[in-house]
Amino acid sequence: MKSTPLLFLNVIIIATCGLIYELLAATVSSYVLGDSVTQFSLIIGVYLFAMGVGSYLSRFIDKNVAEKFVDIELAVAVIGGLSAPLLFLTFAYVSYFGMVLYTTVFIIGTLVGLEIPLLMRILQDKLDFKELVSRVLALDYVGALVASLLFPIFLVPQLGLNRTSLVFGMLNAGVGIWATWLLEPIISRRRLTILRVKGFVVIVVLTIALIKADSLTTLAEDGLFVDNIVYAKSSSYQRIVITRGRMGHSLFLNGNLQFSSFDEYRYHEALVHPAFAAYKGEPKRILVLGGGDGLALREILKYKSIESVDLVDLDPMMTELSRSLPALGELNQHSFNDPRVKVTNADAFVWLDRTDAEPFDIAIIDFPDPNNFALGKLYTTRFYNLLKPKLAPGAAVVVQCTSPLIARKSFWSVMKTLEASGFYVRPFQTTVPSFGIWGYALAKLEPFEIPQKPPPNIELRFLNDITFASMFEFSADTSKPSEELETNRLDNQALVRYYETEWRRVEQ
Amino acid sequence: MTLSRRELLSTFLGAPIAFAACRNGTMRRFPEGQIVGQSEALGHVLRENRTFEVPPDNWESKKVAIVGAGVAGLAAAWQLEREGFNDIVVLELEKTAGGTSLSSKGDPVGYPWAAHYLPVPFRENTELISLIEEMGLVEGRDAGGDIVVKEQYLCRDPEERVFYKGRWYDGLYLHVGESEDDKRQFVEFQRQIDHWVNWRDPAGRRAFVVPSVTCSNDAEVTALDKISFADWMHQHGLTSERLLWYCDYACRDDYGLKLDQTSAWAGLFYFCSRVRTSGVESQPFITFPEGNGRFVDHFLSRIGEHVRRSFMAVSIVPNDKGVDVICLNDGVVRGVHCEKIIFASPVFTAPYLIRGFRDDPPFAASEFQHNAWFVANLLLKDRPKQRFPKDFPMAWDNVLYESPSLGYVTATHQSGIDYGPTVLTYYYPMCHEEGGRTKLFNYEWRDLADVCLTDVARPHPDIYELTTRLDIMRWGHAMISPRPGFIHSGIREKAMKPYRNIHFAHTDLSGIALFEEAFYHGLRAAREVLTIETPRP
Ligand SMILES: Cc1cc2nc3c(=O)[nH]c(=O)nc-3n(C[C@H](O)[C@H](O)[C@H](O)COP(=O)(O)OP(=O)(O)OC[C@H]3O[C@@H](n4cnc5c(N)ncnc54)[C@H](O)[C@@H]3O)c2cc1C
């Protein structure tokens, strides 16, 4: 065969693709399952073993070796090419992710294991055995080197996992089609045509997948999140994504950052401790609305006087994740396991309307920003009026209220809404690097003085006397605007509209 | 695909929608469901012209019998009870009271079968306000003396959205893609509305206000009743397609009539009667998940003991001492001797029920014409998925621009329950063809369910998987039709006069079907009964 040298080039590409699929599977699983040492080791083990199985199985292929070889190339192209998107989607939607993962790895490994023995048999008449083994295996390992260099340096940062997977699938299919020309002399005419058509179909499928890539959320997210996605799943209420980077973990709900582990303590200390400072006496019953990550709980549980904490969060998947995902459990110091904590999964608006719970001494309200109408209702006069009867005499409330810098009108509209609902309000703000300047409201149903320092004997990382007092000062660009703002009501949802316009400016 | 399905969908939804739906291949899995309510018994009985003998033991005596437990009948009973007059009985042919303000209980919330909102009344409408206050809906009064209704009962924002060419947009009037001319015409239309909002006759009366009896009867105003709303728009050079759609939608929504079937007086009434002065917002809507069924329940909590359900009045016999009503109660004939009757069932039934009416008709009852509707309630196990991130989210009223239906109302919207199961109430007025009523009753549940699902599946392809149950109510006589020339024909005034101890009370008497009008006539009839009534020694 005059094309023998070109077939050796084929070997390099096959080897590169094979290793890429292996690396992809290992990376995806270590992203999503964590613990990369175990994941890499298991995947490499299963993959190599499967290649062994493939090599062994090659002996059962007797006839039409060249044609079978091309078929296998195309099969690898499809399964390997679609592997990363498939794994991402399964992780988000099915519970038996492990099974899908190892099955995929095993199938790819087996198919790749078949390739080299078959190719060697095709070439066996052209070269003597010594020559053949040395060339094929040498090139096989060169391919491996190419893959392992390209993968971390170029492919992952430039293309992302899903695109890499699809692009290499296409490359693999390309090689398969190319091989039909190289092997033309030893494949029958009719079969050649069938193989080329198949190859063409595979390329088309992978191209469509690549084009469609953007409509797959996970693919879009690849570009959206700077860090690696370790967890991505849609609950009935929202899309939960957890990423891990050098600075730690971050949680995103519907693409909006909820916290970054490296500075979340600033946010949560500011959210929780002013309410305790403003409460006269020993608070016993605490209400947390939202806050399914358990980080506010962690701060609350620092107070010894507490007898019960009722946490009401919409999403059972979120609270369950905060309890069971090791990374989150560590961050919230396993506060969901504290016997004083009671979790209810409900929409806080509906819950407040229906609950017969005894009044609370302190309420910490930590909802996502009001970027839609379902969230906007949680910042209305109606909502605060539903809260009022659930507050014991002297109760203190803190509400997280978005950024007074970026969304100044939104922030002050919440203050106005609280006042319209009969609260005395002390706005305050602090800086959380991953959010920017962040605002809160401290409120009571009676007039009260701004607390001057954090409660004594509580271990704090961020708040000291000076920062605490300074939180209640507003700079010129965050203070109350002179224009008359609207109260946020159920029947006008003014806040959602303010918020939308204000945040749109920075997001574009 | 059978030809008949395409025909069915074409007649109800128009050829383009029917074509698209039938092209999409096989019929989808249907939820469970049935035709509910509205017994057809009355029609049969009346047509049979039977005579009924009341067994001697089945007679009872009441001072006043109210025929029909719709809003008008219930309001009349409520008023009589408030005046300390409780020797009454309310006779209702259906198993449930409420008439066209009927609702069902449900989980997580109840849902309406027809009427679902009430605009906050002006301070002048003191009687209606006293009802609203009694129900605990009022928070206080504003500086001008108008009532402030508690936030949770005012329609929650977003109120409406409209589906147009595959996307949802905020509001009812379609702003997206508006041309300069569209904008100009919309402004001009607003200017015309403002003109009528601010208009006063020499006596200081408004042109359009609720209740409609208080509207001016100045010739300039009543002349509007002679032409159709379509003609009126044409005369004012209003030809913008989206503006015409907007007004046509308003007519279909409030009256079940198309633009060219509606009197211009009625069309302008819709736009003007709930606006205090030009430049201010129209009065906000009071609404509940179960719609106006909440008012019905309130009435029942007051006077429920007097209501007899499954009591169909089959004959009303005026005599020297008063009036007798003969009823059919689950096959048993019963009678009530009474002094007076408040006739709170649809006016067109008067000649069939009232003995002697036809021999010397006090008014032409056949002029009170109704249109037919069907209403479907879709019980969903979860919310439809938003298809595009930029789509405007679910609102209270969700309107389909390209459809002859009115779209659907979301029952959970007002309660703040934004996730999980909900109920969508789909409204379809049969105004697009002659003989809509006969046509409606020729179709089975499956046909109408197909129409409804095909229509709703356009914005929500997942509706088939989400709907666990779909029940349908066919309203043969849904709403009185304010077609040109009816409201100011003088017939209504005649019908408002008592006829041989029978006092008529129904929203029909206003020529428009509204809660406020039904309520007004109920109270008027009650007052008439009370004033004419002389206390016995
Ligand atoms: C689809 C639809 C939507 C609507 N939406 C609204 C809305 O959102 N807001 C609004 O204000 N209005 C709405 N309406 C108008 C509604 O009709 C009025 O609000 C109001 O309910 C009318 O009450 P009524 O008592 O005058 O008449 P009906 O509701 O017609 O009551 C008449 C009653 O008499 C009973 N009856 C009839 N014959 C007999 C007999 N022989 N013996 C005993 N009982 C008898 C009937 O069963 C019925 O209960 C809507 C109507 C329809 C059809």
Side-chain angles (χ1 to χ4, degrees), chain B residues 296-335:
Chain B
V296 171
D297 283 350
H298 179 76
F299 287 134
L300 291 175
S301 75
R302 283 326 189 64
I303 48 93
E305 55 182 310
H306 303 303
V307 180
R308 308 273 169 82
R309 295 165 181 84
S310 298
F311 261 73
M312 175 186 3
V314 288
S315 181
I316 294 172
V317 190
N319 52 40
D320 301 341
K321 285 172 276 160
V323 205
D324 290 344
V325 199
I326 300 170
C327 299
L328 208 53
N329 167 219
D330 292 332
V332 181
V333 183
R334 300 182 187 279

Side-chain angles (χ1 to χ4, degrees), chain B residues 42 67-73 91-94 98-101 114-117 292 311-313 344-346 353 373 375 427 478-479 506-507 513-516 518:
Chain B
L42 180 66
V67 180
V71 167
L91 309 166
E92 169 55 47
L93 85 90
E94 301 288 347
T100 46
S101 292
H116 57 277
Y117 70 89
N292 291 1
F311 261 73
M312 175 186 3
S345 34
L353 290 175
W373 287 53
V375 176
Y427 291 88
M479 288 184 181
H506 190 278
T507 193
L514 285 179
F515 182 90
E516 301 96 308

Side-chain angles (χ1 to χ4, degrees), chain A residues 11 15 36 48 85 139 142 175 189 192 207 223-224 273 286-287 366 375 432 470 486 504:
Chain A
V11 174
S36 42
L48 287 179
L139 289 173
V142 169
V175 169
R189 274 240 77 73
L192 265 179
T207 312
L224 197 66
H273 302 293
I286 316 296
L287 174 65
D366 187 18
L375 287 167
V432 183
S470 70
E486 279 198 77
R504 199 194 296 145

Side-chain angles (χ1 to χ4, degrees), chain B residues 214-228:
Chain B
T214 53
C215 293
S216 168
N217 51 9
D218 191 279
E220 197 187 339
V221 183
T222 55
L224 291 165
D225 191 46
K226 298 201 173 72
I227 56 170
S228 74

